[in-house]
Amino acid sequence: MFRERIIVDGSLTVTPGGYALAVRLPWYRALPVSAVEQLDVALDGVRAPADAISFEVNGRARSLAAARDDWDESWYVLDDGVVRVAAEVPPGSAHEVEVVLGVRIPYLPVAGKPLLMTERCVKTMSVKETAV
Amino acid sequence: MTPPKLGVTLYSFTPYFHARQYTFEDLIRIVGERGLGPGLEVVGFQSIKGFPRLPDGFAARFRRLVDDAGLELSCLGANADAGLRQDRLLTEDELVEYMLAQLEAARTLGFPVVRVQHSVTPDLMERLLPHAERLDLTLGMEIHSPHSVGHPKIQALLERYERLGSPRLGFIPDWGASLTQLPPSLLRTYRDKGVPDELLTAFRDQWNAFHAEPLIMDDAEQGARFRRMREINERLGGDDVSVRIGTNSVGLFGHMDPADWKQIMPWVVHVHGKFYDIDADGAEPSAPHDILLRDLVDAGYQGYISTEWEGWHWNETDDPFAMVAAQHRLSERVFASLAAS
């Protein structure tokens, strides 16, 4: 659902330690942060290791491992999530970004295991500006 | 004859809302202006940030907005998020607490009916009943594809309802559980997107084959059908986009006989008028409104039918407001012909 909306257009920034981008929830309603079971990010085909990625909603950044245990917070369906990646960014003003987002649908347990919905989005984007 | 009342769930307008094109408040106003009510249904976790917590003053502002739009609150869509945590499903006590917070929100917002989902077992429904009484709410278990009225989960609820005999417990039929064919726009849209005819035909033929089989009675059968669709996708060279045609067909488009809703009619407390297409004759090609509405009218049902357009899952060209309006016209035509007969 809404896979083309996962990567927010024009949201790619280069940071001192890497890069950042905004992502949307490819679903119709808010989900607990812990529903984010998979968040793969690649820039120009170079996939970031999971421990180089942080994920921020509601003004709080956490590692992907910490996100999985965070069921008290929710990611509202209209809010951007901010993904920050520690990485070497190759030169150039435009980059291909790939995000694979797997979210658990908490009310759809099939045989005791909630459905996992995985969506992939690829966009080539110009770097917006250098964020601090 | 007093026909059921029409209305809409804001879920029908999800593409606009998700795109931040219209706010929650805009949608309520537009539903009023375009005469798509009077019933208004809202999914709490969609429309309200922080739900089931409500910001200060939110409920009063919401009720004023609904009044000003000339609408009536029909149902709050609650979610039974048993899979809230990654490591395990919620315990029964946790799920009761989780649902109770949403019941309290429904009461504060002024909704008369709350939609609940199938992780709420008969025991949990019974535990929620005194709270429904205290909060003056009716709880409706949604019967959604791939479930059907004869599914053991639904039958177990029905038995419990009959034993408890409370008018505050009931069912919410979702017409997506009783389709007669795949929505034609589904296949058309993916053909236009370049999915090969051979693959589309194979998905359709498989859905039709499932249609001739007995209805799903447990989760293992549902899992097997998901796998069957994935196999077809792989065998015919499909990709991660086309696979959804198959898997969605198992999850969204149920095979129940539309006339079988009659079996639970006395317990219907709200209806999800799920639909996908309106054809050139103004009819719904997959959800036979003449049968679905006839049986509600015959049973004397006078509650709300929340029109729920879900075609936006693939259809990005039709305007959701226009689709809902067309479904209301269809419903009114059927009511008129029933009144005349």
Side-chain angles (χ1 to χ4, degrees):
Chain A
M1 188 182 290
F2 302 137
R3 58 169 57 205
E4 287 309 311
R5 300 183 186 180
I6 292 177
I7 297 175
V8 176
D9 288 329
S11 68
L12 179 65
T13 57
V14 173
T15 62
Y19 61 95
L21 67 144
V23 294
R24 293 287 308 275
L25 191 54
W27 195 240
Y28 70 91
R29 52 156 282 207
L31 292 176
V33 170
S34 85
V36 177
E37 294 206 359
Q38 183 184 4
L39 178 58
D40 297 341
V41 187
L43 186 84
D44 296 332
V46 179
R47 178 150 158 215
D51 60 5
I53 299 172
S54 81
F55 176 67
E56 175 186 319
V57 286
N58 304 331
R60 199 165 71 78
R62 72 274 279 161
S63 68
L64 291 184
R68 283 186 204 105
D69 290 331
D70 191 354
W71 51 81
D72 289 332
E73 248 341 295
S74 68
W75 180 6
Y76 186 54
V77 65
L78 296 184
D79 288 349
D80 285 349
V82 181
V83 176
R84 292 191 185 80
V85 181
E88 291 282 328
V89 179
S93 60
H95 300 278
E96 185 196 77
V97 182
E98 176 182 3
V99 173
V100 178
L101 184 55
V103 289
R104 185 173 72 255
I105 308 302
Y107 62 88
L108 292 177
V110 179
K113 196 169 157 40
L115 203 72
L116 186 72
M117 190 196 58
T118 308
E119 297 280 19
R120 179 170 164 271
C121 179
V122 182
K123 285 184 182 175
T124 298
M125 292 196 290
S126 301
V127 176
K128 192 166 68 175
E129 64 200 38
T130 302
V132 181
Chain B
M1 160 194 137
T2 305
K5 290 172 279 192
L6 298 183
V8 69
T9 166
L10 295 188
Y11 174 82
S12 301
F13 313 118
T14 293
Y16 288 150
F17 184 68
H18 187 280
R20 303 166 176 152
Q21 193 172 338
Y22 294 108
T23 65
F24 178 44
E25 291 76 10
D26 291 338
L27 290 176
I28 293 170
R29 266 192 296 272
I30 294 169
V31 165
E33 284 164 12
R34 299 185 62 144
L36 304 179
L40 179 72
E41 177 169 355
V42 165
V43 174
F45 282 107
Q46 174 173 53
S47 295
I48 303 166
K49 182 171 177 173
F51 183 82
R53 285 189 304 278
L54 303 173
D56 283 345
F58 180 89
R61 285 198 304 279
F62 170 68
R63 284 199 300 263
R64 206 160 42 240
L65 190 61
V66 171
D67 279 348
D68 290 348
L71 301 176
E72 301 162 9
L73 297 178
S74 61
C75 177
L76 178 76
N79 285 109
D81 289 337
L84 187 72
R85 302 169 54 124
Q86 195 185 34
D87 53 345
R88 59 168 174 80
L89 296 182
L90 295 186
T91 64
E92 292 200 342
D93 287 352
E94 287 167 341
L95 191 54
V96 165
E97 194 186 331
Y98 192 81
M99 298 311 295
L100 194 48
Q102 297 178 74
L103 267 49
E104 301 271 1
R107 164 71 180 187
T108 306
L109 292 167
F111 285 94
V113 174
V114 177
R115 179 279 306 268
V116 298
Q117 297 172 305
H118 65 86
S119 289
V120 175
T121 60
D123 284 351
L124 298 196
M125 210 68 173
E126 186 168 348
R127 284 176 66 178
L128 290 173
L129 176 57
H131 297 286
E133 287 166 345
R134 172 173 62 83
L135 298 167
D136 194 19
L137 294 168
T138 299
L139 308 182
M141 174 65 65
E142 182 173 32
I143 305 176
H144 189 286
S145 168
H147 297 133
S148 57
V149 296
H151 190 279
K153 282 191 174 191
I154 303 303
Q155 286 295 310
L157 278 162
L158 182 59
E159 271 174 40
R160 190 67 63 98
Y161 289 174
E162 283 169 347
R163 185 162 72 66
L164 295 170
S166 170
R168 293 194 178 274
L169 300 179
F171 290 115
I172 300 179
D174 181 296
W175 291 348
S178 57
L179 296 192
T180 55
Q181 63 168 343
L182 287 183
S185 66
L186 174 80
L187 301 171
R188 209 164 50 229
T189 301
Y190 282 102
R191 185 172 297 121
D192 290 347
K193 285 183 179 174
V195 176
D197 264 341
E198 189 192 11
L199 181 54
L200 291 170
T201 303
F203 283 138
R204 190 198 59 203
D205 290 350
Q206 184 60 63
W207 192 88
N208 290 341
F210 289 149
H211 203 70
E213 291 174 13
L215 295 168
I216 283 178
M217 289 294 149
D218 64 37
D219 287 359
E221 295 171 38
Q222 186 189 350
R225 288 186 176 188
F226 278 133
R227 280 194 299 281
R228 179 83 195 105
M229 288 300 197
R230 285 196 201 96
E231 283 162 15
I232 289 172
N233 190 63
E234 271 181 40
R235 180 163 54 77
L236 296 174
D239 60 14
D240 61 339
V241 173
S242 63
V243 70
R244 289 297 160 74
I245 309 166
T247 52
N248 280 347
S249 299
V250 175
L252 298 179
F253 314 133
H255 300 279
M256 197 184 121
D257 181 343
D260 282 352
W261 292 116
K262 283 203 289 279
Q263 296 170 23
I264 49 121
M265 210 54 99
W267 295 97
V268 171
V269 294
H270 184 70
V271 173
H272 281 170
K274 172 77 58 66
F275 80 108
Y276 294 98
D277 290 343
I278 298 290
D279 66 19
D281 299 326
E284 216 300 350
S286 307
H289 279 48
D290 49 345
I291 297 170
L292 294 160
L293 294 173
R294 175 201 68 196
D295 291 346
L296 285 167
V297 167
D298 282 355
Y301 175 73
Q302 293 179 11
Y304 293 97
I305 300 171
S306 260
T307 296
E308 184 174 340
W309 187 57
E310 200 176 51
W312 54 263
H313 275 224
W314 57 87
N315 178 346
E316 295 167 359
T317 51
D318 282 312
D319 169 45
F321 296 119
M323 292 302 291
V324 170
Q327 193 269 357
H328 276 202
R329 285 196 296 275
L330 166 59
S331 301
E332 279 156 1
R333 272 203 309 280
V334 175
F335 290 148
S337 92
L338 289 168
S341 64

